[in-house]
Amino acid sequence: MASIILRKPSNKRKNRINPEKLFLYDNFALPDTVNTALSGAFRDNIRVFLHDFAEIQPYFVNGMPVWCTSLFSENDGVFPLYTVEETVRHDSLDPFCNHCESSGWGHHFVCKRKYHFIIPEKENWNEPLDDDFAEFESLKLYGLIHCNGFGHLICINGLKHNSKLFGADDSMEFWDRLCTVLRARSISANYFSRKGSIELGLIHGMAHGKSWLAKWGYRFNGGITESKYNAAIRFLSRLSLDVIISDSVSKRNSRRIRSIIDLYRKCSANPLSTIGDLLKFMLVFESRFHMDIYGACKFDSGTGESPMGFDKLVDSMTKNCRWPARRLDHALLVIVDLLKEHRAENVQTECGMSRQELRDGARRSIGDTGLIDFVLKSIKCFTVENQIIRRSMNPSSRLAEFSIQECSPRVVSYNLSQDVWILYENVLAMYPETKLVLDCNHFVKDWPIRGKIVSQSMVLTCKVLPSFAELDSQLTRRLSPGELVVVEPWITVADLKMVAQCALRDTYCVMEEFEATWIGGLRKIDDEKVVSTVFEPGSQVWVRGRGLDLTTRLMYEDGGRKMRGGRPMGFLDVIGYDNVNM
């Protein structure tokens, strides 16, 4: 998206939360939550979504209205999902879409509206959206969807170490659910050659045998074939770590490469023999990997107990209780924070906290006392960061007491992202298969059009069929995709003609004054016929008409920069011989 820069508004206020429009993040946009009200095409669903699930904000961003959907997470509290509506006009600074051009959708007609979906970084959750909202580095999530349902996942910044909410998977899962309930038609996503994207695009592929985006149904869009990608991934993931160490002896970073491999091998409970094994292990513990490293080292706990790593403690508790890992994780961190506060307030005495004191303190943040009791019961001796937490018996009171203290583990310092990057630059980059995998950076996900009648409605794709003269002169490119309409199956073809006209006018700049004259291709279909007797649900409907504005500069999303050379595309090139009578 091109930058839109106007003067900065001065009337912004802090976000205000409406408790009646506060939604739980974990299940927001799941089936049977918000999609019952969103049964139309995207252009209609987004309006319902903003009315029912968002609050209009008392300010504009670069002249564009802003809505805020308030989401709640048990771990991080309340945070915003912003929706910014951009109206495309003739006097817009840059009305075209670079993302459409790079995704192969430059031939799409320019849509009248774009919707920007934004979740900022945590430090900005309580602040209004700023003018420079498209600065990727300051966002957790940024997606853009045109009013015709085609859109782009522009950035996900969920790779930071120790991020609990909004890891990359969390953000991607939320985005996919949102696109599904709003009934997006197709979403593109591109990898770029940056450290974070290499970690996802290449490293995830080597660790799991498929692209990270493939977990949500995204497929390659151009580039190499799937079979070549899989072959390259298999070759790279099977590289032996021992051979890598041996081959790196003469390299400048040989000592660093060996230390990285040795460090993670020591921390893994299972043998790591290939670089695929190594990368998979690194990604599994990406969020709090240092906790497990400390837990794998030898500490003197003072109780004879061998300290357990944070993640291993959570895993062991998960097997014996009804609470999910994320709630156990949260409860443990609340207890750690309470112990830190207590230690800071009692520096001189260095006394611990009783079980009852911890229980009472934790109840201020956690409403489930059963969860608190289970976690306190499970704590013996574990490590988190460079702290060791232990439970012991107070010799005077004969009661359980919990304490926290600094520890100095004998472990090589590390940085996961940096370690991955070093392995990439010094090992993987030398193989041509690596370049081949990284060239697979264009992905797209399509949502299928419903092929049956549901809730007494059917979906059709209404596509304008220009005249021979228009195809021969101005509309010489591949036709823009048709617009979806959701109609009752018993309406007449005449009714469908009016529905299609309204939908096309509402969606595309070039069709502002379009008048539908008949339904059908070269052969007109009788206006009195019932739609369900002529068309199957999910089928394409040709719409003939007049009034296309072929003089507007708002014709194609790429601004007409990729006009096809050579002879103009003829009628049969566009719709195919078999479809001329549709």
Side-chain angles (χ1 to χ4, degrees):
M1 189 192 81
S3 299
I4 304 173
I5 303 175
L6 298 175
R7 65 178 182 275
K8 189 171 182 177
S10 58
N11 61 339
K12 293 186 180 181
R13 290 177 279 178
K14 293 271 187 180
N15 285 332
R16 295 176 296 180
I17 304 301
N18 181 350
E20 295 182 357
K21 290 191 175 181
L22 183 62
F23 303 97
L24 187 63
Y25 164 75
D26 291 331
N27 68 2
F28 184 73
L30 284 173
D32 302 323
T33 56
V34 303
N35 61 332
T36 53
L38 306 176
S39 57
F42 175 83
R43 68 178 180 281
D44 299 318
N45 289 339
I46 185 61
R47 289 165 171 149
V48 176
F49 175 81
L50 296 178
H51 180 272
D52 293 352
F53 302 100
E55 287 280 316
I56 186 71
Q57 299 300 290
Y59 63 88
F60 291 81
V61 172
N62 293 322
M64 298 179 285
V66 181
W67 285 264
C68 180
T69 302
S70 298
L71 302 173
F72 173 74
S73 162
E74 187 172 319
N75 286 340
D76 284 71
V78 178
F79 59 94
L81 165 68
Y82 289 112
T83 305
V84 180
E85 183 183 58
E86 178 183 353
T87 300
V88 177
R89 299 183 178 88
H90 286 274
D91 58 355
S92 298
L93 185 64
D94 188 355
F96 308 112
C97 181
N98 294 330
H99 304 292
C100 279
E101 183 175 0
S102 63
S103 302
W105 300 341
H107 65 287
H108 288 196
F109 290 143
V110 173
C111 287
K112 289 185 172 182
R113 297 174 305 282
K114 308 173 187 177
Y115 295 91
H116 306 263
F117 298 91
I118 296 148
I119 296 178
E121 286 281 9
K122 186 172 182 178
E123 57 265 24
N124 297 320
W125 283 358
N126 294 322
E127 298 297 328
L129 197 62
D130 214 337
D131 294 348
D132 57 353
F133 66 84
E135 294 296 329
F136 301 163
E137 293 75 10
S138 63
L139 304 178
K140 280 292 184 184
L141 170 68
Y142 179 23
L144 165 67
I145 305 182
H146 301 273
C147 63
N148 66 351
F150 287 80
H152 318 280
L153 174 59
I154 298 174
C155 84
I156 282 183
N157 291 326
L159 301 178
K160 288 186 177 179
H161 223 39
N162 267 342
S163 60
K164 296 177 177 61
L165 180 68
F166 288 125
D169 280 26
D170 296 316
S171 298
M172 190 64 207
E173 179 65 28
F174 178 82
W175 170 250
D176 191 64
R177 281 189 265 135
L178 186 64
C179 291
T180 299
V181 299
L182 291 176
R183 300 187 186 273
R185 296 175 63 183
S186 191
I187 299 293
S188 72
N190 295 337
Y191 282 140
F192 295 97
S193 296
R194 296 187 299 228
K195 291 186 180 182
S197 60
I198 284 175
E199 185 175 335
L200 284 180
L202 174 64
I203 305 306
H204 188 281
M206 291 178 59
H208 298 284
K210 62 181 181 181
S211 163
W212 179 70
L213 285 169
K215 293 195 292 182
W216 291 275
Y218 283 76
R219 57 178 173 78
F220 295 122
N221 184 30
I224 66 170
T225 63
E226 192 96 18
S227 60
K228 287 184 178 180
Y229 172 87
N230 291 334
I233 285 294
R234 283 196 300 270
F235 171 80
L236 294 171
S237 62
R238 292 173 182 174
L239 293 174
S240 167
L241 293 178
D242 293 331
V243 172
I244 289 173
I245 292 173
S246 175
D247 290 347
S248 67
V249 171
S250 60
K251 295 181 179 179
R252 180 170 56 88
N253 288 325
S254 61
R255 185 176 299 178
R256 181 68 175 126
I257 294 171
R258 185 183 187 108
S259 68
I260 290 172
I261 295 174
D262 289 345
L263 171 61
Y264 294 107
R265 273 179 162 176
K266 290 177 182 177
C267 296
S268 173
N270 300 313
L272 306 178
S273 58
T274 67
I275 195 167
D277 297 336
L278 173 64
L279 294 172
K280 186 172 184 178
F281 176 71
M282 294 170 78
L283 290 181
V284 165
F285 293 97
E286 185 266 337
S287 62
R288 287 184 311 278
F289 193 30
H290 66 291
M291 299 179 186
D292 286 82
I293 288 182
Y294 281 106
C297 301
K298 301 299 182 182
F299 292 94
D300 177 14
S301 67
T303 64
E305 293 282 352
S306 178
M308 184 179 291
F310 187 96
D311 284 331
K312 290 181 180 178
L313 174 60
V314 173
D315 290 341
S316 66
M317 290 194 296
T318 304
K319 297 174 183 177
N320 302 309
C321 73
R322 67 179 186 274
W323 293 281
R326 62 178 180 80
R327 296 197 65 191
L328 298 171
D329 182 307
H330 175 60
L332 276 172
L333 292 177
V334 167
I335 290 169
V336 170
D337 289 340
L338 289 170
L339 289 171
K340 288 180 179 179
E341 292 174 7
H342 179 79
R343 184 184 61 184
E345 296 169 357
N346 298 272
V347 178
Q348 302 299 326
T349 59
E350 295 187 359
C351 60
M353 293 183 71
S354 69
R355 178 186 175 281
Q356 190 60 46
E357 289 175 325
L358 268 181
R359 189 176 189 269
D360 292 342
R363 285 190 64 184
R364 294 195 294 268
S365 302
I366 304 170
D368 189 340
T369 55
L371 170 61
I372 298 171
D373 291 337
F374 176 77
V375 171
L376 291 173
K377 178 183 176 181
S378 303
I379 294 176
K380 292 184 179 179
C381 185
F382 74 95
T383 56
V384 52
E385 298 179 345
N386 62 334
Q387 315 277 341
I388 184 167
I389 291 84
R390 64 172 178 247
R391 183 182 69 189
S392 59
M393 187 70 68
N394 186 306
S396 301
S397 64
R398 296 289 182 178
L399 297 175
E401 190 174 82
F402 297 79
S403 61
I404 186 170
Q405 68 182 66
E406 298 283 343
C407 52
S408 301
R410 297 184 300 275
V411 62
V412 179
S413 62
Y414 87 104
N415 179 305
L416 183 68
S417 297
Q418 182 180 342
D419 291 346
V420 168
W421 188 251
I422 288 174
L423 290 174
Y424 165 75
E425 282 191 316
N426 294 277
V427 178
L428 298 174
M430 70 176 63
Y431 293 98
E433 288 81 2
T434 298
K435 184 179 185 304
L436 185 147
V437 172
L438 290 178
D439 283 344
C440 298
N441 56 4
H442 296 281
F443 295 83
V444 67
K445 177 176 180 176
D446 300 314
W447 278 260
I449 298 174
R450 195 171 65 217
K452 59 183 179 180
I453 296 175
V454 177
S455 300
Q456 298 183 333
S457 65
M458 60 189 291
V459 181
L460 298 171
T461 305
C462 294
K463 192 168 184 177
V464 170
L465 182 59
S467 67
F468 285 105
E470 290 168 336
L471 287 168
D472 191 58
S473 56
Q474 290 108 328
L475 299 178
T476 57
R477 305 178 69 178
R478 186 157 48 107
L479 286 183
S480 182
E483 186 58 19
L484 297 186
V485 297
V486 181
V487 298
E488 296 168 331
W490 53 81
I491 69 170
T492 66
V493 169
D495 296 329
L496 176 61
K497 181 171 60 178
M498 292 299 100
V499 171
Q501 177 178 294
C502 291
L504 293 165
R505 284 184 173 187
D506 185 40
T507 305
Y508 300 107
C509 296
V510 72
M511 299 186 189
E512 180 75 40
E513 299 180 1
F514 177 74
E515 180 183 349
T517 54
W518 77 59
I519 295 293
L522 298 180
R523 185 182 304 161
K524 180 180 178 181
I525 298 175
D526 187 352
D527 282 352
E528 301 306 314
K529 287 191 175 182
V530 175
V531 166
S532 59
T533 65
V534 182
F535 302 106
E536 293 291 330
S539 61
Q540 179 174 276
V541 176
W542 289 105
V543 181
R544 300 298 300 267
R546 55 178 172 266
L548 290 176
D549 184 2
L550 302 180
T551 62
T552 178
R553 77 181 184 109
L554 302 181
M555 177 81 76
Y556 296 115
E557 287 288 5
D558 63 6
R561 291 184 288 271
K562 290 189 176 181
M563 297 296 288
R564 177 175 174 176
R567 71 173 182 88
M569 294 180 67
F571 182 74
L572 296 182
D573 293 322
V574 177
I575 64 175
Y577 180 80
D578 294 336
N579 294 326
V580 295
N581 291 321
M582 281 294 292

